[in-house]
mmCIF file with all atom_site columns, all heavy atoms in Angstrom:
data_model
loop_
_atom_site.group_PDB
_atom_site.id
_atom_site.type_symbol
_atom_site.label_atom_id
_atom_site.label_alt_id
_atom_site.label_comp_id
_atom_site.label_asym_id
_atom_site.label_entity_id
_atom_site.label_seq_id
_atom_site.pdbx_PDB_ins_code
_atom_site.Cartn_x
_atom_site.Cartn_y
_atom_site.Cartn_z
_atom_site.occupancy
_atom_site.B_iso_or_equiv
_atom_site.pdbx_formal_charge
_atom_site.auth_seq_id
_atom_site.auth_comp_id
_atom_site.auth_asym_id
_atom_site.auth_atom_id
_atom_site.pdbx_PDB_model_num
ATOM 1  N N   . GLN B 1 8  ? -13.334 4.673  10.896  1.00 0.00 ? 448 GLN B N   1
ATOM 2  C CA  . GLN B 1 8  ? -14.129 3.446  11.032  1.00 0.00 ? 448 GLN B CA  1
ATOM 3  C C   . GLN B 1 8  ? -13.179 2.253  11.045  1.00 0.00 ? 448 GLN B C   1
ATOM 4  O O   . GLN B 1 8  ? -12.565 1.927  10.038  1.00 0.00 ? 448 GLN B O   1
ATOM 5  C CB  . GLN B 1 8  ? -15.107 3.320  9.861   1.00 0.00 ? 448 GLN B CB  1
ATOM 6  C CG  . GLN B 1 8  ? -16.040 4.491  9.695   1.00 0.00 ? 448 GLN B CG  1
ATOM 7  C CD  . GLN B 1 8  ? -16.381 4.722  8.224   1.00 0.00 ? 448 GLN B CD  1
ATOM 8  O OE1 . GLN B 1 8  ? -15.487 4.786  7.389   1.00 0.00 ? 448 GLN B OE1 1
ATOM 9  N NE2 . GLN B 1 8  ? -17.654 4.865  7.908   1.00 0.00 ? 448 GLN B NE2 1
ATOM 10 N N   . ASP B 1 22 ? -14.973 6.196  5.132   1.00 0.00 ? 462 ASP B N   1
ATOM 11 C CA  . ASP B 1 22 ? -14.487 7.568  5.252   1.00 0.00 ? 462 ASP B CA  1
ATOM 12 C C   . ASP B 1 22 ? -12.965 7.626  5.277   1.00 0.00 ? 462 ASP B C   1
ATOM 13 O O   . ASP B 1 22 ? -12.294 6.751  5.834   1.00 0.00 ? 462 ASP B O   1
ATOM 14 C CB  . ASP B 1 22 ? -15.016 8.211  6.539   1.00 0.00 ? 462 ASP B CB  1
ATOM 15 C CG  . ASP B 1 22 ? -16.536 8.309  6.556   1.00 0.00 ? 462 ASP B CG  1
ATOM 16 O OD1 . ASP B 1 22 ? -17.133 8.376  5.462   1.00 0.00 ? 462 ASP B OD1 1
ATOM 17 O OD2 . ASP B 1 22 ? -17.102 8.310  7.654   1.00 0.00 ? 462 ASP B OD2 1
ATOM 18 N N   . GLU B 1 59 ? -15.736 10.217 -9.011  1.00 0.00 ? 499 GLU B N   1
ATOM 19 C CA  . GLU B 1 59 ? -15.540 9.142  -9.977  1.00 0.00 ? 499 GLU B CA  1
ATOM 20 C C   . GLU B 1 59 ? -16.426 7.961  -9.647  1.00 0.00 ? 499 GLU B C   1
ATOM 21 O O   . GLU B 1 59 ? -16.639 7.644  -8.477  1.00 0.00 ? 499 GLU B O   1
ATOM 22 C CB  . GLU B 1 59 ? -14.078 8.698  -9.978  1.00 0.00 ? 499 GLU B CB  1
ATOM 23 C CG  . GLU B 1 59 ? -13.803 7.505  -10.883 1.00 0.00 ? 499 GLU B CG  1
ATOM 24 C CD  . GLU B 1 59 ? -12.518 7.639  -11.660 1.00 0.00 ? 499 GLU B CD  1
ATOM 25 O OE1 . GLU B 1 59 ? -11.936 8.732  -11.675 1.00 0.00 ? 499 GLU B OE1 1
ATOM 26 O OE2 . GLU B 1 59 ? -12.103 6.631  -12.234 1.00 0.00 ? 499 GLU B OE2 1
#
Side-chain angles (χ1 to χ4, degrees):
Chain B
Q448 303 148 310
D462 298 333
E499 176 139 349

